[in-house]
Amino acid sequence: MQSKYKISLLRANLLAAAVALALWTPTAPPAATLLLWLSVGWLFVTALALDFSHRRSPGLPWQMLAGTLLLGLIAAAPERHSLLVWAWGAVFMLPQHRWTAIFNIGAATLSCLFIASVMSLPEWLLMALSLATLSVLALSRTHQLINMNGDIRQRLRLVPGVNLWAGEQLLRDLMREQTRSEREAIHAEVLVIQVKRHQLWPVAQKLCELTYEFENVYRLNNTTLATLMLSRSPKEAAKRLTTLCAALPDSATFYHQPLMEIELDALSIDALSRYPKQRLSEAA
């Protein structure tokens, strides 16, 4: 409920910002009017499409679009839009990769240079220093939140209601299930699947439907999935493997191995994600 509340509040803020920019357009020069309407459209689309989902990645380049529009508005009419320079603090609060942050830092610097001509030197220096401090604090806070969310996601399902988990959960489950398999004579196999990037989520959902409720599917990276199959015997496991692989796209590659044959001491997510590629090259 808290997540839904925060999303609703953010959507309301985006819509309010879109309305404010729309009211600013009647007296704007032509170039600024075009950028204002582009910004209004982007804010409306973002607000309407906003949803709480672990599928969204902080690495998507849409943060660059926000920075580009903001820079364009300030450059088109610096004497009229100088107040928008403070919006860079909000831009730097968005989760973003380093290269995106570098782009936005450069755009914010250009914005400050554009409005230098409409301010006295002392005012401009005070504004630049204040904005730099605000931006550093925003970037620092965002970095902390990204690290915190990453730790949380390692312990949560990636999609609510579906047995899809982060790869770190697989490493924990392997240790537990290896001990259980040895104690209860259960045949366990690890199946690692590599797919194309756009196929990852559909294939993950399909695997969740084909596996038992007590089995999980794990996302190792943007192109690799894994699942831990528990069966009564190797023969049953072979039948299940055939069914699962038949439901995969033709372009998918897979690797499977009995859990008892895997050395878990030095195992990592990166090593697991390279299993199919390594096995195929060895076979070739």
Side-chain angles (χ1 to χ4, degrees), residues 18-32:
V19 172
L21 290 180
L23 295 175
W24 217 355
T25 58
T27 59

Side-chain angles (χ1 to χ4, degrees), residues 6-279:
K6 292 176 182 177
I7 291 299
S8 298
L9 182 60
L10 178 57
R11 180 182 288 113
N13 289 333
L14 291 174
L15 291 174
V19 172
L21 290 180
L23 295 175
W24 217 355
T25 58
T27 59
T33 300
L34 176 61
L35 289 170
L36 282 170
W37 280 119
L38 287 175
S39 301
V40 169
W42 177 75
L43 288 169
F44 266 114
V45 170
T46 302
L48 295 177
L50 196 63
D51 192 13
F52 176 73
S53 174
H54 291 298
R55 295 187 184 188
R56 299 189 183 276
S57 171
L60 293 176
W62 65 272
Q63 299 93 341
M64 292 179 61
L65 177 60
T68 301
L69 289 173
L70 183 56
L71 174 61
L73 286 172
I74 296 174
E79 70 288 345
R80 190 173 184 270
H81 298 155
S82 59
L83 188 63
L84 290 177
V85 74
W86 298 107
W88 284 110
V91 172
F92 289 124
M93 291 181 66
L94 299 173
Q96 52 198 286
H97 279 323
R98 180 177 301 175
W99 61 271
T100 310
I102 292 174
F103 171 85
N104 285 329
I105 290 173
T109 303
L110 286 176
S111 299
C112 292
L113 294 177
F114 282 132
I115 66 174
S117 60
V118 299
M119 303 176 67
S120 64
L121 182 59
E123 290 177 340
W124 184 84
L125 289 175
L126 179 60
M127 181 276 298
L129 181 60
S130 301
L131 181 60
T133 303
L134 178 64
S135 300
V136 170
L137 292 175
L139 286 170
S140 175
R141 180 59 177 170
T142 300
H143 182 70
Q144 293 177 1
L145 291 176
I146 289 176
N147 292 336
M148 185 186 303
N149 289 336
D151 294 338
I152 292 174
R153 289 180 185 182
Q154 293 178 9
R155 303 189 296 270
L156 295 178
R157 299 186 184 191
L158 297 183
V159 179
V162 179
N163 286 339
L164 181 61
W165 300 75
E168 288 79 5
Q169 183 63 39
L170 174 59
L171 298 179
R172 293 188 285 267
D173 290 349
L174 289 178
M175 297 289 295
R176 183 184 69 251
E177 292 301 335
Q178 193 175 71
T179 302
R180 179 187 173 194
S181 298
E182 187 175 8
R183 183 180 66 247
E184 301 180 10
I186 297 175
H187 183 78
E189 286 198 5
V190 177
L191 175 63
V192 181
I193 304 162
Q194 283 190 341
V195 297
K196 295 181 179 179
R197 186 182 297 265
H198 69 275
Q199 298 174 329
L200 182 77
W201 296 105
V203 172
Q205 185 171 1
K206 187 66 175 179
L207 284 174
C208 290
E209 295 173 356
L210 293 175
T211 51
Y212 296 136
E213 292 184 359
F214 53 83
E215 296 174 334
N216 298 324
V217 177
Y218 308 88
R219 175 186 176 274
L220 304 185
N221 56 39
N222 290 334
T223 59
T224 310
L225 297 165
T227 185
L228 180 60
M229 299 190 304
L230 304 176
S231 306
R232 287 187 290 267
S233 65
K235 184 177 181 180
E236 179 183 340
K239 292 181 178 179
R240 294 192 61 203
L241 180 64
T242 301
T243 302
L244 286 175
C245 293
L248 299 177
D250 295 336
S251 58
T253 58
F254 63 92
Y255 168 85
H256 66 97
Q257 185 175 0
L259 177 58
M260 299 305 296
E261 298 179 6
I262 299 178
E263 294 291 337
L264 301 181
D265 294 337
L267 190 63
S268 65
I269 297 177
D270 185 59
L272 276 170
S273 64
R274 293 199 305 266
Y275 267 22
K277 184 176 181 180
Q278 291 175 342
R279 181 60 58 174

